[in-house]
Amino acid sequence: MKPLLFDNRFIAGLPADPVSGGGVREVRDALYSRVAPIPVADPRLLAWSRETAALLDLDEADVTSPEFARIFGGNALLEGMQPYAANYGGHQFGHWAGQLGDGRAISLGEAVNAAGQRWELQLKGAGPTPYSRHADGRAVLRSSIREFLCSEAMHHLGVPTTRALSLVTTGETVVRDMFYDGHPRAEPGAIVCRVAPSFLRFGNFELPASRGELPLLRQLVDFAIRRDFPELQGEGEALHAQWFASVCERTAVMIAHWMRVGFVHGVMNTDNMSILGLTIDYGPYGWIDDYDPDWTPNTTDAQGRRYRFGWQAKIAYWNLTRLAAALSPLFATPEPLQEGLQRYREVHAAAERDNIARKLGLAECGDDDIALMEKLHALLHAGEMDMTIFFRNLADVDLSMLGIASLADAFYDAGKRDAIEPALADWLQRYARRAADDPLDIEARKARMRAANPRYVLRNYLVQQVIDRAEAGDESGIAELLEVMRRPYDDQPGNERFAQRRPDWARDRAGCSMLSCSS
Ligand code: AMP
Ligand code: MG
């Protein structure tokens, strides 16, 4: 494997925990702890992403070399790597949880590619750190397959996300009680290498603020602006205000993408919110099959369903208010932070309009179009219709005929289909009138819709099938599904089976519609 150039600015520029190595502890006045991955029995490369490898100037020969599996399984370090775990806190399910930190993620360093881009490499599941609390620092194969595939699928769908370079099995088992109900089992272990310009989360700022460590907070903010937001100019409070507004804008854009493609994060705690507005920490996430704004895949959140699909925008806003509270000691008055939050509302509203225009194939979204989309959402919900299939096939409805034949695949329930059909026909008529008034011609409308409404999303059951096969020894499903997800907006003749609605058997099956935080 060829060497990578490392420039570890986080380590070089910020205060470290004076103690090094593992051992669970409270870490004050420091933003990270030096800790090395713990070697595993038999690291073996299971899957990799060629696009993410290319970001690091790595090719197939590099990635398939035996050295690669050793490094990205945690058994060796490349020259220049300086592993560490970051110290952060977070609001979990609405409550301040104190110090959390990277309990099973170990950053290896910041690689700089030939184009000068900086990519932090991070192993997830590489062993315990000072932040592991009661847990083992490891990850199971099923959740690692889920993170690997979804990181790359999201990227190809055009959603801002951390990336996944590799998936390595460890040759060791990990014990997990999947639904925390007294049924622990030994599962195969794995390690994903995640890649992002920065893994800083809201929680990295909340923790020093909660402890009154204000010089440390200020230092981290200035560092993050210099390293991760080089486009921002100015100084002092004005610069900090611009930065917060930028975090708000990016967060709004990310959430709008989630809503466009039907992604439910599942655990929007503030320690899982990236300051770069990247989707981060793929745990009990899920994809909307039948349109239901109240759905969450996360059984750990079944009671209040705080992180349900339809609440993601307001939860993101709440999370930003937590970040604003953490940053408030840096500001003489609250106005700059309030303006940042206002930016969130504006950018979110504009992005929602953009989603409506693109999903319905309109040049622009007028006020009436918001109501048109709201009505459609209500119909999709009441009629139990598949979100992805409906929007994708809507482009193919002949608006001069108004038949719902091309939408037939979207229905999960024949009774509900019959009940909703008249109302849906009314809606289609309304939509046909609107489309006829629009400056876009038919072909332009269809092209716009096909670029916004994917044919393929990473349906929960598809990933579960890949996991079942991999656990039974057939690993080929991972690369197969990744290949489909590389072109989610193409029709891909021959791959129709990946675009079908969720089969009945998957409706209430673990892994397909129910997931927990146990991973
Ligand atoms: P999550 O819900 O995955 O974002 O995790 C919340 C916190 O728990 C983070 O601080 C994680 O590092 C930590 N954590 C989750 N799973 C483990 C594990 N198996 N070992 C150590 N820490 C973990
Ligand atoms: Mg997390």
Side-chain angles (χ1 to χ4, degrees):
M1 183 186 162
K2 70 169 80 81
L4 297 173
L5 177 68
F6 285 96
D7 174 29
N8 303 324
R9 284 177 67 183
F10 192 85
I11 292 279
L14 295 169
D17 174 6
V19 184
S20 63
V24 170
R25 57 184 175 267
E26 196 176 49
V27 178
R28 289 188 176 261
D29 293 307
L31 295 168
Y32 65 93
S33 303
R34 290 181 183 268
V35 57
I38 305 289
V40 298
D42 183 20
R44 192 168 62 82
L45 182 70
L46 197 58
W48 61 287
S49 156
R50 65 181 108 155
E51 289 84 7
T52 301
L55 296 176
L56 302 165
D57 306 320
L58 298 177
D59 58 25
E60 181 159 9
D62 296 313
V63 172
T64 54
S65 71
E67 194 191 359
F68 183 94
R70 283 201 298 278
I71 293 163
F72 293 96
N75 286 18
L77 293 175
L78 271 176
E79 172 96 36
M81 286 179 169
Q82 293 175 293
Y84 74 92
N87 189 13
Y88 55 80
H91 279 84
Q92 296 188 313
F93 298 96
H95 304 283
W96 176 241
Q99 177 180 305
L100 296 167
D102 285 330
R104 57 166 164 177
I106 296 182
S107 279
L108 299 173
E110 300 164 43
V112 180
N113 68 13
Q117 294 167 324
R118 175 178 303 272
W119 296 103
E120 185 168 342
L121 309 182
Q122 185 176 81
L123 300 184
K124 186 164 174 178
T129 77
Y131 310 100
S132 296
R133 294 176 291 154
H134 311 293
D136 57 10
R138 293 296 182 187
V140 293
L141 178 61
R142 65 181 152 83
S143 61
S144 304
I145 291 176
R146 286 171 50 80
E147 175 138 20
F148 174 80
L149 284 175
C150 202
S151 305
E152 294 304 289
M154 292 285 268
H155 166 73
H156 294 298
L157 283 160
V159 184
T161 178
T162 63
R163 305 295 297 277
L165 170 66
S166 57
L167 170 60
V168 171
T169 50
T170 60
E172 297 177 0
T173 56
V174 176
V175 175
R176 289 286 182 275
D177 184 354
M178 200 194 301
F179 287 111
Y180 307 109
D181 59 358
H183 295 92
R185 77 175 173 115
E187 302 187 44
I191 297 175
V192 170
C193 178
R194 312 197 281 199
V195 177
S198 166
F199 285 95
L200 284 173
R201 305 138 189 273
F202 294 5
N204 292 80
F205 302 87
E206 289 179 277
L207 184 62
S210 75
R211 292 169 167 171
E213 297 168 349
L214 298 187
L216 195 62
L217 173 67
R218 186 180 296 277
Q219 202 181 349
L220 181 61
V221 169
D222 289 333
F223 173 86
I225 293 172
R226 271 195 312 276
R227 190 189 65 172
D228 299 333
F229 293 77
E231 70 280 7
L232 299 183
Q233 303 294 325
E235 55 185 275
E237 214 181 274
L239 178 59
H240 294 161
Q242 273 188 67
W243 171 67
F244 179 66
S246 180
V247 176
C248 290
E249 287 175 13
R250 286 163 182 255
T251 304
V253 169
M254 172 187 77
I255 299 289
H257 280 291
W258 292 1
M259 302 312 289
R260 174 176 62 83
V261 299
F263 175 78
V264 190
H265 182 284
V267 202
M268 291 176 69
N269 293 332
T270 57
D271 54 306
N272 293 339
M273 297 290 294
S274 144
I275 56 155
L276 282 180
L278 305 173
T279 313
I280 188 173
D281 267 13
Y282 291 91
Y285 68 81
W287 293 81
I288 292 289
D289 291 309
D290 53 295
Y291 183 86
D292 180 358
D294 296 327
W295 184 71
T296 174
N298 186 0
T299 54
T300 315
D301 186 27
Q303 278 294 312
R305 278 178 291 152
R306 178 180 176 85
Y307 299 138
R308 64 184 74 180
F309 180 57
W311 283 8
Q312 296 189 118
K314 73 174 183 184
I315 293 291
Y317 182 82
W318 187 86
N319 289 342
L320 285 163
T321 69
R322 297 304 87 208
L323 178 60
L327 300 175
S328 62
L330 304 184
F331 292 86
T333 63
E335 279 78 26
L337 290 165
Q338 282 162 359
E339 282 165 21
L341 293 169
Q342 178 59 22
R343 275 308 286 153
Y344 175 86
R345 292 193 293 268
E346 289 161 6
V347 173
H348 175 255
E352 282 284 280
R353 279 181 183 257
D354 194 46
N355 274 353
I356 293 171
R358 292 175 64 205
K359 288 186 81 70
L360 296 181
L362 308 171
E364 270 177 57
C365 170
D367 292 344
D368 291 349
D369 300 327
I370 295 175
L372 185 69
M373 185 59 118
E374 277 171 3
K375 178 70 188 166
L376 176 58
H377 283 156
L379 292 172
L380 293 177
H381 191 195
E384 207 181 325
M385 283 181 256
D386 190 90
M387 175 179 171
T388 304
I389 296 175
F390 183 92
F391 280 105
R392 183 71 183 192
N393 289 7
L394 184 59
D396 299 325
V397 172
D398 180 349
L399 292 180
S400 61
M401 306 279 290
L402 296 178
I404 65 162
S406 44
L407 299 172
D409 286 345
F411 290 94
Y412 281 92
D413 181 295
K416 287 187 180 168
R417 180 194 60 210
D418 294 346
I420 209 79
E421 200 171 327
L424 186 57
D426 280 353
W427 185 87
L428 283 171
Q429 229 165 43
R430 211 172 134 188
Y431 174 55
R433 281 197 302 273
R434 172 63 183 88
D437 277 351
D438 198 80
L440 294 184
D441 65 25
I442 292 184
E443 284 317 309
R445 171 164 59 81
K446 288 185 176 185
R448 189 159 164 78
M449 293 172 83
R450 289 192 186 122
N453 299 316
R455 167 72 73 202
Y456 299 94
V457 295
L458 197 71
R459 290 179 187 272
N460 314 308
Y461 85 92
L462 290 174
V463 184
Q464 188 56 39
Q465 284 177 322
V466 166
I467 292 169
D468 291 342
R469 273 167 69 186
E471 288 183 347
D474 170 14
E475 294 153 354
S476 60
I478 304 171
E480 194 178 276
L481 188 51
L482 176 60
E483 194 55 34
V484 174
M485 291 311 306
R486 289 178 66 230
R487 294 178 295 120
Y489 298 98
D490 290 357
D491 281 329
Q492 302 188 35
N495 279 331
E496 290 82 3
R497 69 185 184 283
F498 295 96
Q500 281 160 5
R501 60 177 183 268
R502 176 200 59 220
D504 264 350
W505 59 261
R507 179 183 281 263
D508 298 311
R509 229 204 92 180
C512 299
S513 58
M514 296 186 296
L515 293 138
S516 77
C517 288
S518 169
S519 60

